[in-house]
Amino acid sequence: MELREEILQTIIKRTADVMKKNADELNADSSFEALGFKSGNYVQVTTVLEDEFEVEIPYMDFKRRKTFGEAAEYVEQLVEG
């Protein structure tokens, strides 16, 4: 599995857990805003990503990403950076 897809799946899985959603309903086009994300929700997702991919994720930069796909691409850049 390519890195971006692995990151995307991690975002989807953690978001489904945090927001009590079915992971099958979430994809790269899913919007954090549409799901009603609050600051704490972003922290819960970025913490898992940091642990999983051994990278530091600047919270405010991550939060600026509108969709899961954009967030996955951003984290991929950090990991490969």
Side-chain angles (χ1 to χ4, degrees), residues 5-66:
E5 184 62 27
E6 193 178 333
I7 294 167
L8 177 62
Q9 292 308 315
T10 303
I11 293 170
I12 288 171
K13 182 180 183 308
R14 186 63 181 141
T15 298
D17 292 345
V18 168
M19 303 304 285
K20 310 283 188 268
K21 298 284 183 193
N22 183 338
D24 294 337
E25 298 171 5
L26 305 172
N27 59 48
D29 295 326
S30 296
S31 160
F32 293 108
E33 186 178 347
L35 290 168
F37 256 61
K38 304 280 187 258
S39 293
N41 303 130
Y42 285 103
V43 170
Q44 289 175 301
V45 172
T46 56
T47 300
V48 167
L49 290 167
E50 287 178 336
D51 291 347
E52 182 82 19
F53 298 99
E54 298 180 359
V55 65
E56 188 172 323
I57 301 170
Y59 168 79
M60 290 307 293
D61 289 340
F62 184 88
K63 192 175 174 185
R64 287 189 191 102
R65 299 337 193 239
K66 303 283 185 225

